[in-house]
Amino acid sequence: MTTDVFKSARQTPIPTNGGFLAAAQIPTVVQDALASIPFIDIHTHLFTPGFGKLSLWGIDELLTYHYLEAEFFRSSRMTLEHYWTLSKTEQADAIWRALFIENSPISEATRGVIAVLHAFGLPTDQTALSEARNFFRAQTLEAHIPRVLEMAGISTVVMTNDPLDPEEAPLWLNGVQNDKQFHAVLRLDRILNTWPDHWQALAAQGYAVDAKASGKSVAEVRRFLSDWAKRMQPVYMACSLPDTFEFPSDTLNCLLLREAVLPACRESNLPLSLMIGVRKQVNPRLRLAGDAVGKANLRSVEALCRDFPSNRFLVSVLSRENQHELCVFARKFNNLMPFGCWWFMNNTSIVEEITRERLEMLGTSFIPQHSDARVLEQVIYKWANTRRTLAPILAENYRLLSEDGRGVTAADIQRDVTRLFRSNAESWMDLRPRS
Ligand code: RAT
Ligand code: ZN
């Protein structure tokens, strides 16, 4: 038996007379709206089954999530070098022992694993691992995916798709099967951030580019993007950027951004997602877990939004210090959509702070959260956390509104929650099922 994390049927009857809610009714009505409206998850690293081993799921993947790997080395004497020689199962065993047996799993990421086990009705105590393994072994991915999305209360998943990933690109080139709940995103990191290491991959696909992006290169990158946009039918293009990102500047990534990416987005009517503030590989020995954060100069966002009014920018920033500034720029430019509480920001205390700030400064004109899930079942706990954290914050805003003299109805709350978690995404992206 599974725990009903997401409740598709409303639990509490909402007043039908269109009447204003009493202060005491507001929290329940907010909770009902959050529980009954299926959300759109606008940024994940999940894949459909057609992507084979790129699609991660199950207990061993949950335990070896890079957020947990980073925490593991704070509680274990194992060397990084030794850890990387272990099999996935051995790594998961070691993490389970260090973070779930020898310590209480009270961090956000460890609690997430517990919440997933609990949601499936599995034991969560120190002996839980083998039963969890048996349970996940018995699932088929095709049936498991819709069940997990239902439990998480999400209707739509946006993937991250890299046309230069040597494992992923051939799947697209050979024609990967669509899934009506999943949408593609054309990810640009290798092109914009590490061109010298990747231009040859474009050349290998038949585009006339060179190491310095000279001559026809920029036009060829644009042709590459437009070909891949036709192939993937992405809902946006995306790039994560370092804290040192400067626009405009005399760099290769600005040249490619200005003359290839932005025109390609305009041509295909796609927004561009910029995730700004990552400091890649401050500890390369940690591999995927080795990235950190830095405060960025958001004047780059200002310049992009101002100088390219026909482009639309979805922006998430990794540094807590940049969050307020992002809200201010969103007030200045309606081609800017702040989204999500990304990665190191996705902790209850910080989500609370950012969301309050955004509601106060932007009303409902932003996208509060994305899951960034890498392992399928993570959507269960990540979206449950979002609902739990946001419920009192939204309720408080309605209580204040009502106290200030404007009555609030259940229909108002339904409309607003729908806008935050669905319509803002739907109006920025074409999320109709692909054939
Ligand atoms: O949150 C994460 O899992 C990070 O490792 C990154 O993948 C980040 O979200 C990104 O999309 O670059
Ligand atoms: Zn991500």
Side-chain angles (χ1 to χ4, degrees):
M1 209 197 51
T2 60
T3 303
D4 211 1
V5 177
F6 171 70
K7 299 173 184 65
S8 53
R10 186 169 295 122
Q11 304 270 297
T12 320
I14 289 173
T16 48
N17 58 5
F20 299 134
L21 299 166
Q25 290 176 298
I26 290 175
T28 317
V29 174
V30 168
Q31 261 172 23
D32 280 349
L34 287 167
S36 61
I37 294 165
F39 294 175
I40 293 172
D41 195 344
I42 71 154
H43 170 58
T44 76
H45 298 266
L46 302 180
F47 290 93
T48 64
F51 288 86
K53 62 181 169 41
L54 292 178
S55 176
L56 304 182
W57 61 289
I59 187 64
D60 287 353
E61 296 293 352
L62 286 167
L63 287 170
T64 53
Y65 184 31
H66 70 87
Y67 292 27
L68 291 182
E69 287 178 331
E71 291 174 30
F72 168 68
F73 291 105
R74 303 199 51 74
S75 295
S76 164
R77 287 169 168 234
M78 189 181 290
T79 64
L80 281 147
E81 287 65 28
H82 180 65
Y83 178 81
W84 298 121
T85 66
L86 301 179
S87 68
K88 175 83 61 188
T89 316
E90 290 166 337
Q91 291 173 343
D93 283 340
I95 291 180
W96 179 259
R97 199 176 321 110
L99 298 182
F100 294 80
I101 297 178
E102 293 166 3
N103 291 283
S104 296
I106 57 172
S107 72
E108 189 89 5
T110 50
R111 239 184 332 97
V113 176
I114 297 298
V116 168
L117 296 176
H118 185 64
F120 285 110
L122 294 166
T124 58
D125 65 8
Q126 303 184 341
T127 65
L129 187 53
S130 63
E131 194 168 332
R133 282 187 172 137
N134 291 338
F135 169 80
F136 285 105
R137 251 195 302 271
Q139 310 305 314
T140 61
L141 187 54
E142 286 68 15
H144 190 51
I145 290 178
R147 176 186 187 194
V148 169
L149 301 191
E150 169 76 24
M151 287 166 75
I154 53 176
S155 62
T156 310
V157 173
V158 178
M159 304 182 280
T160 296
N161 304 97
D162 183 346
L164 295 184
D165 181 311
E167 290 188 51
E168 187 174 350
L171 300 169
W172 285 104
L173 291 165
N174 294 327
V176 68
Q177 215 188 342
N178 280 330
D179 178 304
K180 63 180 183 348
Q181 289 189 280
F182 285 70
H183 291 270
V185 159
L186 207 174
R187 184 82 176 220
L188 308 168
D189 291 37
R190 289 180 209 232
I191 296 174
L192 287 180
N193 294 334
T194 44
W195 176 260
D197 303 329
H198 293 105
W199 66 272
Q200 279 164 320
L202 268 86
Q205 287 188 31
Y207 297 88
V209 294
D210 61 39
K212 296 210 162 82
S214 60
K216 284 173 62 178
S217 294
V218 170
E220 284 290 272
V221 172
R222 196 171 154 178
R223 185 166 73 85
F224 171 88
L225 296 175
S226 129
D227 290 347
W228 274 89
K230 285 188 196 104
R231 183 173 292 123
M232 285 180 172
Q233 298 187 38
V235 292
Y236 58 82
M237 295 196 199
C239 189
S240 79
L241 292 161
D243 57 329
T244 52
F245 172 64
E246 293 284 348
F247 187 97
S249 73
D250 194 13
T251 54
L252 228 150
N253 84 335
C254 282
L255 171 75
L256 292 170
L257 182 57
R258 191 178 59 238
E259 295 188 13
V261 173
L262 293 175
C265 285
R266 289 194 297 271
E267 178 188 83
S268 310
N269 192 26
L270 295 175
L272 176 64
S273 163
L274 301 174
M275 305 175 78
I276 308 172
V278 58
R279 293 184 59 221
K280 287 272 179 206
Q281 296 296 283
V282 299
N283 184 357
R285 292 167 66 223
L286 274 171
R287 301 193 181 173
L288 200 51
D291 299 346
V293 58
K295 182 177 183 299
N297 181 357
L298 291 197
R299 290 192 189 197
S300 302
V301 172
E302 171 190 328
L304 284 164
C305 293
R306 185 186 51 235
D307 298 347
F308 298 92
S310 315
N311 283 93
R312 287 170 297 133
F313 300 92
L314 288 153
V315 178
S316 206
V317 283
L318 195 52
S319 164
R320 183 181 175 198
E321 285 71 26
N322 281 136
Q323 304 297 333
H324 178 260
E325 216 177 340
L326 181 65
C327 290
V328 175
F329 286 128
R331 293 175 63 92
K332 307 300 136 190
F333 301 105
N334 71 358
N335 59 340
L336 169 60
M337 176 68 82
F339 78 94
C341 302
W342 176 28
W343 200 348
F344 310 117
M345 297 297 96
N346 194 2
N347 297 309
T348 312
S349 61
I350 302 178
V351 173
E352 270 174 16
E353 173 183 298
I354 298 175
T355 308
R356 280 185 207 285
E357 188 168 80
R358 287 174 172 173
L359 285 168
E360 285 162 358
M361 294 178 78
L362 303 172
T364 51
S365 68
F366 68 99
I367 298 174
Q369 193 54 300
H370 65 273
S371 77
D372 233 312
R374 278 177 185 267
V375 183
L376 177 66
E377 298 84 2
Q378 288 170 344
V379 292
I380 297 172
Y381 85 82
K382 291 189 184 232
W383 284 111
N385 285 353
T386 296
R387 288 183 165 92
R388 181 168 61 188
T389 306
L390 263 58
I393 297 173
L394 283 168
E396 169 74 355
N397 278 269
Y398 290 116
R399 188 186 63 77
L400 293 173
L401 175 61
S402 165
E403 234 175 71
D404 286 343
R406 163 76 184 265
V408 176
T409 65
D412 294 334
I413 294 175
Q414 284 277 327
R415 180 202 53 206
D416 296 348
V417 172
T418 303
R419 177 169 181 195
L420 288 164
F421 290 100
R422 291 196 66 84
S423 326
N424 283 333
E426 283 166 335
S427 67
W428 273 55
M429 304 164 210
D430 181 1
L431 290 160
R432 283 172 301 184
R434 302 282 183 257
S435 51

